[in-house]
Amino acid sequence: QVHGRLSSRAGDAPNMAQLAQTTQAALSGQSKTVTVTVMGEHEHVISGYSLLKGIGDGEPIASDRFTVGGHEWVLLFYPDGKRSISETQQAPPPNDDPYAALFVALIGEGPRPQGVVHSSSGRVVRAFHRFTLVDQTGTGNRDITKGRQRDQGAVKISCARQDPNARNCHGYRKFVRRSVLENPQHGYLVDDTIVIRYEIELVVTNGGALHRINKANPLMSIDVSSFPTLGDEVRKLLTDDADKTDCVFEVEGEKFPAHSLIMSARSSAFRAMLRTGAEMREGSEGVVRLSDIRSPVFKLLMHFIYSDELPDGSGRGPVTDNGYRASGPGRANAHSGALVSHGSGGRRAAGIGTEGESGAPSADGTNSTPPDLEGIDLDVAMTQHLLVAADRYDLTRLRAICESRLCDMVDVETAATTLALAEQNHAHALKRACLEYVATHLAEVMQTDGYKHMEQSCPQLASELLRTVAMHTTQQQQAAAAAAANGAPLALGGAGDVGFGAQLSPTNATNVLGGTQGLG
């Protein structure tokens, strides 16, 4: 603007005072940072307290995960305390009145975590934490509350969950003496139950060059997943343009019209079948008869080929930590086991877990599950069939989705059959997950019919299973030796660690696998 003003009046001398004033206005500006707290709370009820006594020093009872500020947290209650290394090196006095410990741990974060600060010690969050042991008599005047006050400053907790030296938890080793907790006159232990209430104020700074704009407010962001995808549009070809199909697949007497261009583009196996000329009879006749797949499985296969996802939403959106893809507003729950769910129930008979929402609604909220797919459940058995079909017809992405689902469905009844299936269908990630599970639940899995099937169909898995059992045992022995060398008992290494429970030694594992019920 200054340059333009001088050019338009080239014959006049420039007004220097006016020029300086204009330049100052152009360079001046204003910025603002706002620091607030995001509040959250979680209540953890622990029943059967008397059964937890003697669990051991450093052994926690964990709450469910809960989310505050885009971060995942978990409460850790230590009935027998959590002594420091220096304390473990000293023998407790004869009449010691031990403490119960209480901590909170940061164990994960979502796609938009708030309050993350990049400090010299790495990525951290700052928060005020308050822990309360609730007086259940109803008076509330005897609640025990401990926490950081405002004038003390917020506590820093590291986001580096994989760093063993990072401080990813906060709490009190001496939260309450057990004698106080168990005194019936205090009201903390009622009907063998205690109640712990936790409150957090997460410190969040918005604005400034070092902080991203907070997009947690849905009004400030656009949910792209709510709009139709290419798969949504292509799938309409099976319904809106069914008269334009040019090939037919016949499965168990049922005919499925299709578009050869789409089928060929998605699968090299179907491309070979539909190739015209004398090479393949199917290409000249336009009819492909498949005898190695069930009709319900092929319906799901066709749905995936046209939409690039399963009817419950698996395959849509960015991949989450558990291997599924996130579903947006109006989408089906990615963990749903049924294409159409009727309310929330318990575990499915086939071992799929809890049922979720109804199948894959469209962007306008209507159910977009094709009528011919209603009633087909994506349980363990169906997902196993779909994995076999995906491997057979070279649908690598569908195979990966099935692997992810089956990894989350592994339990005692299905582990052996799923392991054999993974071995036979190039599902390497699923095979590793099943080996880990079977190795840590070997005695239970060996009693199932699926284990007998695995013995007959994949006897070569015996050696791999034995190596996995031996590896777990060696790791446990090394960890125990390291803990003993440091003078500390083997305790939970982090909030996300999961113990293997009772393990078989390599010798015992060899005897079990080599016995009458062994794999070979």
PDB file of all heavy atoms in Angstrom, residues 411-437:
ATOM      1  N   ASP A 411      -9.825 -66.158  22.205  1.00  0.00           N
ATOM      2  CA  ASP A 411     -10.084 -66.603  23.571  1.00  0.00           C
ATOM      3  C   ASP A 411      -9.762 -68.092  23.653  1.00  0.00           C
ATOM      4  O   ASP A 411      -9.272 -68.687  22.685  1.00  0.00           O
ATOM      5  CB  ASP A 411     -11.519 -66.295  24.018  1.00  0.00           C
ATOM      6  CG  ASP A 411     -12.572 -66.943  23.132  1.00  0.00           C
ATOM      7  OD1 ASP A 411     -12.225 -67.876  22.364  1.00  0.00           O
ATOM      8  OD2 ASP A 411     -13.749 -66.541  23.191  1.00  0.00           O
ATOM      9  N   VAL A 412     -10.046 -68.700  24.784  1.00  0.00           N
ATOM     10  CA  VAL A 412      -9.669 -70.098  24.997  1.00  0.00           C
ATOM     11  C   VAL A 412     -10.321 -71.013  23.963  1.00  0.00           C
ATOM     12  O   VAL A 412      -9.684 -71.926  23.424  1.00  0.00           O
ATOM     13  CB  VAL A 412     -10.040 -70.543  26.430  1.00  0.00           C
ATOM     14  CG1 VAL A 412      -9.858 -72.049  26.586  1.00  0.00           C
ATOM     15  CG2 VAL A 412      -9.190 -69.803  27.460  1.00  0.00           C
ATOM     16  N   GLU A 413     -11.598 -70.793  23.666  1.00  0.00           N
ATOM     17  CA  GLU A 413     -12.326 -71.693  22.776  1.00  0.00           C
ATOM     18  C   GLU A 413     -11.903 -71.560  21.320  1.00  0.00           C
ATOM     19  O   GLU A 413     -11.988 -72.514  20.550  1.00  0.00           O
ATOM     20  CB  GLU A 413     -13.830 -71.430  22.906  1.00  0.00           C
ATOM     21  CG  GLU A 413     -14.412 -71.817  24.254  1.00  0.00           C
ATOM     22  CD  GLU A 413     -14.273 -73.299  24.546  1.00  0.00           C
ATOM     23  OE1 GLU A 413     -14.381 -74.096  23.585  1.00  0.00           O
ATOM     24  OE2 GLU A 413     -14.040 -73.665  25.701  1.00  0.00           O
ATOM     25  N   THR A 414     -11.483 -70.375  20.893  1.00  0.00           N
ATOM     26  CA  THR A 414     -11.204 -70.142  19.477  1.00  0.00           C
ATOM     27  C   THR A 414      -9.724 -70.050  19.145  1.00  0.00           C
ATOM     28  O   THR A 414      -9.363 -70.028  17.970  1.00  0.00           O
ATOM     29  CB  THR A 414     -11.880 -68.836  19.025  1.00  0.00           C
ATOM     30  OG1 THR A 414     -11.294 -67.731  19.751  1.00  0.00           O
ATOM     31  CG2 THR A 414     -13.375 -68.871  19.302  1.00  0.00           C
ATOM     32  N   ALA A 415      -8.844 -70.006  20.147  1.00  0.00           N
ATOM     33  CA  ALA A 415      -7.425 -69.737  19.890  1.00  0.00           C
ATOM     34  C   ALA A 415      -6.788 -70.789  18.995  1.00  0.00           C
ATOM     35  O   ALA A 415      -6.068 -70.457  18.049  1.00  0.00           O
ATOM     36  CB  ALA A 415      -6.669 -69.639  21.217  1.00  0.00           C
ATOM     37  N   ALA A 416      -7.044 -72.059  19.257  1.00  0.00           N
ATOM     38  CA  ALA A 416      -6.373 -73.126  18.503  1.00  0.00           C
ATOM     39  C   ALA A 416      -6.843 -73.166  17.051  1.00  0.00           C
ATOM     40  O   ALA A 416      -6.025 -73.292  16.126  1.00  0.00           O
ATOM     41  CB  ALA A 416      -6.612 -74.473  19.180  1.00  0.00           C
ATOM     42  N   THR A 417      -8.159 -73.100  16.837  1.00  0.00           N
ATOM     43  CA  THR A 417      -8.656 -73.127  15.452  1.00  0.00           C
ATOM     44  C   THR A 417      -8.181 -71.900  14.688  1.00  0.00           C
ATOM     45  O   THR A 417      -7.846 -71.992  13.498  1.00  0.00           O
ATOM     46  CB  THR A 417     -10.189 -73.193  15.437  1.00  0.00           C
ATOM     47  OG1 THR A 417     -10.720 -72.095  16.215  1.00  0.00           O
ATOM     48  CG2 THR A 417     -10.684 -74.492  16.011  1.00  0.00           C
ATOM     49  N   THR A 418      -8.154 -70.744  15.340  1.00  0.00           N
ATOM     50  CA  THR A 418      -7.687 -69.530  14.667  1.00  0.00           C
ATOM     51  C   THR A 418      -6.204 -69.632  14.356  1.00  0.00           C
ATOM     52  O   THR A 418      -5.744 -69.168  13.306  1.00  0.00           O
ATOM     53  CB  THR A 418      -7.963 -68.298  15.531  1.00  0.00           C
ATOM     54  OG1 THR A 418      -9.360 -68.228  15.828  1.00  0.00           O
ATOM     55  CG2 THR A 418      -7.565 -67.031  14.809  1.00  0.00           C
ATOM     56  N   LEU A 419      -5.422 -70.241  15.241  1.00  0.00           N
ATOM     57  CA  LEU A 419      -3.999 -70.427  14.988  1.00  0.00           C
ATOM     58  C   LEU A 419      -3.778 -71.314  13.768  1.00  0.00           C
ATOM     59  O   LEU A 419      -2.939 -71.011  12.904  1.00  0.00           O
ATOM     60  CB  LEU A 419      -3.329 -71.028  16.223  1.00  0.00           C
ATOM     61  CG  LEU A 419      -1.845 -71.387  16.087  1.00  0.00           C
ATOM     62  CD1 LEU A 419      -1.020 -70.183  15.669  1.00  0.00           C
ATOM     63  CD2 LEU A 419      -1.319 -71.977  17.401  1.00  0.00           C
ATOM     64  N   ALA A 420      -4.505 -72.413  13.682  1.00  0.00           N
ATOM     65  CA  ALA A 420      -4.375 -73.288  12.517  1.00  0.00           C
ATOM     66  C   ALA A 420      -4.784 -72.559  11.237  1.00  0.00           C
ATOM     67  O   ALA A 420      -4.144 -72.687  10.188  1.00  0.00           O
ATOM     68  CB  ALA A 420      -5.235 -74.535  12.714  1.00  0.00           C
ATOM     69  N   LEU A 421      -5.833 -71.763  11.329  1.00  0.00           N
ATOM     70  CA  LEU A 421      -6.300 -70.996  10.176  1.00  0.00           C
ATOM     71  C   LEU A 421      -5.240 -69.998   9.731  1.00  0.00           C
ATOM     72  O   LEU A 421      -4.981 -69.830   8.528  1.00  0.00           O
ATOM     73  CB  LEU A 421      -7.594 -70.265  10.548  1.00  0.00           C
ATOM     74  CG  LEU A 421      -8.370 -69.613   9.402  1.00  0.00           C
ATOM     75  CD1 LEU A 421      -9.118 -70.678   8.620  1.00  0.00           C
ATOM     76  CD2 LEU A 421      -9.345 -68.596   9.953  1.00  0.00           C
ATOM     77  N   ALA A 422      -4.631 -69.308  10.687  1.00  0.00           N
ATOM     78  CA  ALA A 422      -3.596 -68.331  10.356  1.00  0.00           C
ATOM     79  C   ALA A 422      -2.403 -68.991   9.687  1.00  0.00           C
ATOM     80  O   ALA A 422      -1.815 -68.456   8.738  1.00  0.00           O
ATOM     81  CB  ALA A 422      -3.160 -67.591  11.619  1.00  0.00           C
ATOM     82  N   GLU A 423      -2.043 -70.176  10.150  1.00  0.00           N
ATOM     83  CA  GLU A 423      -0.916 -70.911   9.569  1.00  0.00           C
ATOM     84  C   GLU A 423      -1.198 -71.286   8.121  1.00  0.00           C
ATOM     85  O   GLU A 423      -0.304 -71.239   7.261  1.00  0.00           O
ATOM     86  CB  GLU A 423      -0.651 -72.169  10.402  1.00  0.00           C
ATOM     87  CG  GLU A 423       0.342 -73.146   9.803  1.00  0.00           C
ATOM     88  CD  GLU A 423       1.780 -72.656   9.906  1.00  0.00           C
ATOM     89  OE1 GLU A 423       2.006 -71.558  10.460  1.00  0.00           O
ATOM     90  OE2 GLU A 423       2.679 -73.369   9.427  1.00  0.00           O
ATOM     91  N   GLN A 424      -2.424 -71.637   7.816  1.00  0.00           N
ATOM     92  CA  GLN A 424      -2.775 -72.124   6.481  1.00  0.00           C
ATOM     93  C   GLN A 424      -3.084 -71.013   5.489  1.00  0.00           C
ATOM     94  O   GLN A 424      -3.162 -71.267   4.290  1.00  0.00           O
ATOM     95  CB  GLN A 424      -3.987 -73.058   6.588  1.00  0.00           C
ATOM     96  CG  GLN A 424      -3.717 -74.318   7.399  1.00  0.00           C
ATOM     97  CD  GLN A 424      -5.001 -75.048   7.764  1.00  0.00           C
ATOM     98  OE1 GLN A 424      -6.098 -74.487   7.691  1.00  0.00           O
ATOM     99  NE2 GLN A 424      -4.862 -76.304   8.181  1.00  0.00           N
ATOM    100  N   ASN A 425      -3.261 -69.756   5.979  1.00  0.00           N
ATOM    101  CA  ASN A 425      -3.708 -68.685   5.082  1.00  0.00           C
ATOM    102  C   ASN A 425      -2.812 -67.447   5.143  1.00  0.00           C
ATOM    103  O   ASN A 425      -3.273 -66.333   4.911  1.00  0.00           O
ATOM    104  CB  ASN A 425      -5.154 -68.305   5.418  1.00  0.00           C
ATOM    105  CG  ASN A 425      -6.139 -69.404   5.093  1.00  0.00           C
ATOM    106  OD1 ASN A 425      -6.587 -69.551   3.962  1.00  0.00           O
ATOM    107  ND2 ASN A 425      -6.484 -70.190   6.108  1.00  0.00           N
ATOM    108  N   HIS A 426      -1.549 -67.640   5.464  1.00  0.00           N
ATOM    109  CA  HIS A 426      -0.533 -66.585   5.372  1.00  0.00           C
ATOM    110  C   HIS A 426      -0.877 -65.364   6.237  1.00  0.00           C
ATOM    111  O   HIS A 426      -0.528 -64.231   5.902  1.00  0.00           O
ATOM    112  CB  HIS A 426      -0.361 -66.132   3.911  1.00  0.00           C
ATOM    113  CG  HIS A 426      -0.208 -67.262   2.938  1.00  0.00           C
ATOM    114  ND1 HIS A 426      -1.276 -67.778   2.217  1.00  0.00           N
ATOM    115  CD2 HIS A 426       0.882 -67.993   2.586  1.00  0.00           C
ATOM    116  CE1 HIS A 426      -0.852 -68.757   1.441  1.00  0.00           C
ATOM    117  NE2 HIS A 426       0.443 -68.919   1.651  1.00  0.00           N
ATOM    118  N   ALA A 427      -1.565 -65.590   7.355  1.00  0.00           N
ATOM    119  CA  ALA A 427      -1.926 -64.496   8.270  1.00  0.00           C
ATOM    120  C   ALA A 427      -0.875 -64.433   9.372  1.00  0.00           C
ATOM    121  O   ALA A 427      -1.064 -64.940  10.478  1.00  0.00           O
ATOM    122  CB  ALA A 427      -3.327 -64.711   8.840  1.00  0.00           C
ATOM    123  N   HIS A 428       0.252 -63.801   9.087  1.00  0.00           N
ATOM    124  CA  HIS A 428       1.411 -63.877   9.971  1.00  0.00           C
ATOM    125  C   HIS A 428       1.184 -63.135  11.284  1.00  0.00           C
ATOM    126  O   HIS A 428       1.566 -63.622  12.354  1.00  0.00           O
ATOM    127  CB  HIS A 428       2.635 -63.335   9.247  1.00  0.00           C
ATOM    128  CG  HIS A 428       2.909 -64.012   7.939  1.00  0.00           C
ATOM    129  ND1 HIS A 428       3.204 -65.359   7.848  1.00  0.00           N
ATOM    130  CD2 HIS A 428       2.896 -63.543   6.655  1.00  0.00           C
ATOM    131  CE1 HIS A 428       3.394 -65.693   6.585  1.00  0.00           C
ATOM    132  NE2 HIS A 428       3.204 -64.615   5.837  1.00  0.00           N
ATOM    133  N   ALA A 429       0.577 -61.944  11.231  1.00  0.00           N
ATOM    134  CA  ALA A 429       0.328 -61.187  12.465  1.00  0.00           C
ATOM    135  C   ALA A 429      -0.656 -61.925  13.369  1.00  0.00           C
ATOM    136  O   ALA A 429      -0.478 -61.991  14.597  1.00  0.00           O
ATOM    137  CB  ALA A 429      -0.202 -59.794  12.131  1.00  0.00           C
ATOM    138  N   LEU A 430      -1.686 -62.507  12.758  1.00  0.00           N
ATOM    139  CA  LEU A 430      -2.661 -63.278  13.528  1.00  0.00           C
ATOM    140  C   LEU A 430      -2.015 -64.519  14.132  1.00  0.00           C
ATOM    141  O   LEU A 430      -2.307 -64.891  15.281  1.00  0.00           O
ATOM    142  CB  LEU A 430      -3.830 -63.671  12.622  1.00  0.00           C
ATOM    143  CG  LEU A 430      -4.934 -64.518  13.253  1.00  0.00           C
ATOM    144  CD1 LEU A 430      -5.580 -63.782  14.421  1.00  0.00           C
ATOM    145  CD2 LEU A 430      -5.990 -64.886  12.207  1.00  0.00           C
ATOM    146  N   LYS A 431      -1.123 -65.134  13.400  1.00  0.00           N
ATOM    147  CA  LYS A 431      -0.432 -66.323  13.909  1.00  0.00           C
ATOM    148  C   LYS A 431       0.384 -65.976  15.146  1.00  0.00           C
ATOM    149  O   LYS A 431       0.359 -66.706  16.150  1.00  0.00           O
ATOM    150  CB  LYS A 431       0.463 -66.903  12.814  1.00  0.00           C
ATOM    151  CG  LYS A 431       1.293 -68.099  13.265  1.00  0.00           C
ATOM    152  CD  LYS A 431       2.192 -68.588  12.139  1.00  0.00           C
ATOM    153  CE  LYS A 431       3.112 -69.707  12.607  1.00  0.00           C
ATOM    154  NZ  LYS A 431       4.002 -70.170  11.525  1.00  0.00           N
ATOM    155  N   ARG A 432       1.101 -64.848  15.110  1.00  0.00           N
ATOM    156  CA  ARG A 432       1.900 -64.443  16.273  1.00  0.00           C
ATOM    157  C   ARG A 432       1.013 -64.187  17.493  1.00  0.00           C
ATOM    158  O   ARG A 432       1.341 -64.578  18.618  1.00  0.00           O
ATOM    159  CB  ARG A 432       2.706 -63.190  15.935  1.00  0.00           C
ATOM    160  CG  ARG A 432       3.871 -63.438  14.993  1.00  0.00           C
ATOM    161  CD  ARG A 432       4.819 -62.263  14.986  1.00  0.00           C
ATOM    162  NE  ARG A 432       4.156 -61.038  14.569  1.00  0.00           N
ATOM    163  CZ  ARG A 432       4.065 -60.619  13.313  1.00  0.00           C
ATOM    164  NH1 ARG A 432       4.604 -61.343  12.345  1.00  0.00           N
ATOM    165  NH2 ARG A 432       3.460 -59.488  13.014  1.00  0.00           N
ATOM    166  N   ALA A 433      -0.125 -63.524  17.255  1.00  0.00           N
ATOM    167  CA  ALA A 433      -1.035 -63.236  18.365  1.00  0.00           C
ATOM    168  C   ALA A 433      -1.583 -64.522  18.975  1.00  0.00           C
ATOM    169  O   ALA A 433      -1.683 -64.651  20.203  1.00  0.00           O
ATOM    170  CB  ALA A 433      -2.177 -62.348  17.878  1.00  0.00           C
ATOM    171  N   CYS A 434      -1.936 -65.482  18.135  1.00  0.00           N
ATOM    172  CA  CYS A 434      -2.482 -66.751  18.638  1.00  0.00           C
ATOM    173  C   CYS A 434      -1.415 -67.566  19.361  1.00  0.00           C
ATOM    174  O   CYS A 434      -1.699 -68.210  20.380  1.00  0.00           O
ATOM    175  CB  CYS A 434      -3.075 -67.559  17.483  1.00  0.00           C
ATOM    176  SG  CYS A 434      -4.580 -66.847  16.794  1.00  0.00           S
ATOM    177  N   LEU A 435      -0.194 -67.570  18.838  1.00  0.00           N
ATOM    178  CA  LEU A 435       0.890 -68.281  19.515  1.00  0.00           C
ATOM    179  C   LEU A 435       1.108 -67.722  20.916  1.00  0.00           C
ATOM    180  O   LEU A 435       1.288 -68.476  21.881  1.00  0.00           O
ATOM    181  CB  LEU A 435       2.184 -68.185  18.702  1.00  0.00           C
ATOM    182  CG  LEU A 435       2.338 -69.149  17.522  1.00  0.00           C
ATOM    183  CD1 LEU A 435       3.569 -68.796  16.696  1.00  0.00           C
ATOM    184  CD2 LEU A 435       2.417 -70.594  18.007  1.00  0.00           C
ATOM    185  N   GLU A 436       1.102 -66.393  21.031  1.00  0.00           N
ATOM    186  CA  GLU A 436       1.270 -65.758  22.341  1.00  0.00           C
ATOM    187  C   GLU A 436       0.144 -66.178  23.288  1.00  0.00           C
ATOM    188  O   GLU A 436       0.379 -66.502  24.452  1.00  0.00           O
ATOM    189  CB  GLU A 436       1.290 -64.232  22.185  1.00  0.00           C
ATOM    190  CG  GLU A 436       2.463 -63.698  21.400  1.00  0.00           C
ATOM    191  CD  GLU A 436       3.725 -63.633  22.228  1.00  0.00           C
ATOM    192  OE1 GLU A 436       3.618 -63.697  23.465  1.00  0.00           O
ATOM    193  OE2 GLU A 436       4.822 -63.536  21.641  1.00  0.00           O
ATOM    194  N   TYR A 437      -1.080 -66.168  22.783  1.00  0.00           N
ATOM    195  CA  TYR A 437      -2.218 -66.488  23.641  1.00  0.00           C
ATOM    196  C   TYR A 437      -2.200 -67.959  24.053  1.00  0.00           C
ATOM    197  O   TYR A 437      -2.388 -68.289  25.231  1.00  0.00           O
ATOM    198  CB  TYR A 437      -3.522 -66.152  22.930  1.00  0.00           C
ATOM    199  CG  TYR A 437      -4.738 -66.315  23.821  1.00  0.00           C
ATOM    200  CD1 TYR A 437      -5.214 -65.253  24.560  1.00  0.00           C
ATOM    201  CD2 TYR A 437      -5.393 -67.539  23.932  1.00  0.00           C
ATOM    202  CE1 TYR A 437      -6.313 -65.388  25.396  1.00  0.00           C
ATOM    203  CE2 TYR A 437      -6.479 -67.695  24.761  1.00  0.00           C
ATOM    204  CZ  TYR A 437      -6.937 -66.608  25.490  1.00  0.00           C
ATOM    205  OH  TYR A 437      -8.023 -66.762  26.330  1.00  0.00           O
TER     206      TYR A 437
END
